[in-house]
Amino acid sequence: MLPKLNLELTVEQQFMLQVYQKQIANLSPEDCCKMLLETITQNMMKDNAIKTLLRVDGR
C-alpha cells in the first residue's frame, strides 16, 4: 500500500511563497514571463527525473 501523500505546503514553503510574491510584485511583465517559463521548465525536469527514478526502481 502506498503512503498517503502530504500535499500541504510546509511553514517554510509558505514563507518562501510570500517572499516570492513580494519579489514578483516589483518585476516587469516580461521578467515575470521569463521567471514563469523557467519555473515550468524546472518543474518538467523534476517530473522527468521522478519518472526516471520510478522506472529504474520498478524494474
Side-chain angles (χ1 to χ4, degrees):
M1 178 177 278
L2 294 175
K4 181 179 178 186
L5 295 176
N6 181 6
L7 302 177
E8 300 295 321
L9 295 178
T10 65
V11 173
E12 181 180 355
Q13 290 169 326
Q14 291 175 16
F15 173 77
M16 290 305 299
L17 186 58
Q18 290 176 354
V19 170
Y20 294 139
Q21 287 173 332
K22 289 176 185 175
Q23 289 175 347
I24 289 170
N26 297 320
L27 293 177
S28 69
E30 293 82 16
D31 287 338
C32 285
C33 286
K34 288 177 186 177
M35 182 180 271
L36 176 61
L37 288 175
E38 180 63 29
T39 302
I40 291 169
T41 300
Q42 290 179 12
N43 193 45
M44 289 176 175
M45 292 169 66
K46 180 183 73 170
D47 287 348
N48 290 343
I50 291 169
K51 288 175 186 176
T52 299
L53 291 170
L54 289 173
R55 270 185 261 147
V56 168
D57 193 36
R59 288 186 183 171

